[in-house]
Amino acid sequence: MITRQQLENNQVWLYVIVLVMGAGFGLIVPDFSGQLDIIISMIIAILMYSMFSQIPFTSLKKSFTNRRFIRALLTVNYIAVPIVVWLLSKLLPDFPPLLLGVYLVLLTPCIDYVIVFTALGRGNEKLILMATPILFITQMLLLPLYLWLFMGEDAAGIVEPVPFLEAFFGLIVIPLGIAIAIQLLARKAPVGNKIINLSTWLPVPFMALTLFVVVASQIGKLSSYIDLILKVIPIYVAFMIIVPVVSRFIAKWFKLDVESGRALIFSGSTRNSLVVLPLALALPDELSMLVAAVIVTQTIVELAGELIYIRLVPNLLLPK
């Protein structure tokens, strides 16, 4: 019988297999797979709950115990990364929907599988785990600010407030509220702990299911956007090359130990694609397909990059 640890340690390969299967399914039976988008929101809502349930919101005070690491983490994710993203975006066509997808995915640090990648890369995954509440809260607060700074009125012209807010509350706020409520319940009743223990099994399979459904339902619709998709791939690759180097410099600047420095590199380089995906799907139909495709493309590039990171970071970039 497979254990949860085995499932998490092999999740990268699972996602790669699922992406290939989703693409094949979408191309072989396009009429059926094209209708799968009606269940995307429900699957993502469950995925969001499963990820939020692993974040120790009730231990938020403990997140600030290693203040040097937190300062380095905020510096990488909200100063260094936005500068890199803004500079790289200048290499893209001035097409607001394309830029919106790139900004959504690259400006939000990962709060879920980055923990596993950090552990596989011999970094201090406990620091990342304890920092996840801070990362989630700060990115939700700062993302609108960065979109306004980088896009101005173009962002306002694309994002319709009502469906965007509906997606935010339905797919992020409500699952978040349920996760926090269950964590509070776990402090007082054993049933809360049982629910949380069961929830720990959900992120990997629902992440895989989300990737399958999104890719299968969208791949048949991408032919008209393939030229734009090809333009963002080099940007994502460049991001994954530049940010680890910048993060290593900041780790040295803040005088972090080796394991903490590795954790910082993984946090800066790993993005929050599936948390912002619901926001992309809330856009008008003619735009949501492109923005969602731009976001999913980043996930595919990132998963390939993580397979390199887990070997390169501890052995070359930041060895002991």
Side-chain angles (χ1 to χ4, degrees):
M1 174 133 179
I2 190 170
T3 66
R4 182 167 60 86
Q5 189 68 38
Q6 289 173 323
L7 185 65
E8 291 179 349
N9 288 344
N10 291 283
Q11 63 181 294
V12 180
W13 293 111
L14 173 63
Y15 299 152
V16 171
I17 293 169
V18 165
L19 286 169
V20 173
M21 290 175 60
F25 187 77
L27 293 173
I28 293 170
V29 282
D31 292 338
F32 177 77
S33 60
Q35 299 174 18
L36 291 176
D37 54 9
I38 62 174
I39 64 171
I40 289 177
S41 294
M42 179 184 67
I43 294 171
I44 289 180
I46 298 173
L47 173 65
M48 291 298 102
Y49 158 74
S50 70
M51 294 194 305
F52 292 148
S53 68
Q54 313 309 307
I55 299 175
F57 287 104
T58 55
S59 302
L60 187 58
K61 286 184 180 179
K62 294 181 181 178
S63 302
F64 293 94
T65 53
N66 192 330
R67 294 184 180 181
R68 182 183 297 175
F69 178 75
I70 294 301
R71 288 196 296 268
L73 192 70
L74 297 177
T75 300
V76 166
N77 282 299
Y78 300 122
I79 297 177
V81 165
I83 291 172
V84 172
V85 172
W86 183 78
L87 291 173
L88 288 175
S89 71
K90 298 304 174 184
L91 302 175
L92 289 169
D94 187 16
F95 185 48
L98 179 72
L99 294 173
L100 178 63
V102 171
Y103 291 146
L104 278 173
V105 71
L106 291 186
L107 292 172
T108 48
C110 184
I111 56 171
D112 41 83
Y113 56 59
V114 65
I115 299 165
V116 174
F117 289 136
T118 302
L120 294 175
R122 288 182 274 166
N124 190 334
E125 76 276 13
K126 292 180 181 178
L127 280 178
I128 294 293
L129 175 62
M130 294 307 297
T132 47
I134 297 173
L135 285 177
F136 176 72
I137 294 168
T138 49
Q139 68 184 259
M140 289 297 107
L141 291 174
L142 292 174
L143 181 59
L145 173 63
Y146 283 121
L147 291 179
W148 176 76
L149 286 174
F150 290 177
M151 298 188 68
E153 293 181 0
D154 287 337
I158 294 174
V159 179
E160 295 182 6
V162 174
F164 199 77
L165 289 174
E166 286 177 353
F168 180 75
F169 279 98
L171 301 179
I172 294 179
V173 174
I174 292 176
L176 175 64
I178 293 172
I180 293 175
I182 292 174
Q183 288 185 26
L184 293 172
L185 176 65
R187 287 184 161 189
K188 300 178 180 179
V191 66
N193 281 315
K194 289 182 180 179
I195 296 173
I196 289 176
N197 289 336
L198 287 173
S199 300
T200 60
W201 284 86
L202 298 179
V204 175
F206 270 89
M207 184 84 75
L209 182 59
T210 300
L211 290 172
F212 178 86
V213 171
V214 169
V215 172
S217 63
Q218 302 299 319
I219 194 166
K221 307 171 186 177
L222 296 183
S223 57
S224 58
Y225 297 123
I226 192 64
D227 57 329
L228 293 174
I229 298 299
L230 291 176
K231 284 182 171 63
V232 300
I233 292 176
I235 299 301
Y236 293 150
V237 173
F239 178 90
M240 297 203 74
I241 293 171
I242 295 169
V243 173
V245 177
V246 174
S247 300
R248 181 185 183 278
F249 172 78
I250 293 174
K252 295 290 186 181
W253 184 29
F254 279 89
K255 299 179 181 178
L256 300 181
D257 61 71
V258 172
E259 286 78 12
S260 299
R262 292 170 182 168
L264 188 71
I265 291 171
F266 277 96
S267 178
S269 307
T270 311
R271 302 289 88 192
N272 216 0
S273 56
L274 293 182
V275 169
V276 296
L277 186 59
L279 305 181
L281 295 173
L283 297 170
D285 289 342
E286 66 274 11
L287 297 175
S288 65
M289 182 169 58
L290 170 60
V291 178
V294 169
I295 291 172
V296 172
T297 300
Q298 190 275 337
T299 304
I300 297 170
V301 173
E302 181 174 88
L303 290 175
E306 295 292 347
L307 295 176
I308 299 171
Y309 278 172
I310 59 178
R311 292 164 177 80
L312 194 66
V313 171
N315 294 321
L316 183 63
L317 194 57
L318 205 56
K320 279 194 173 182

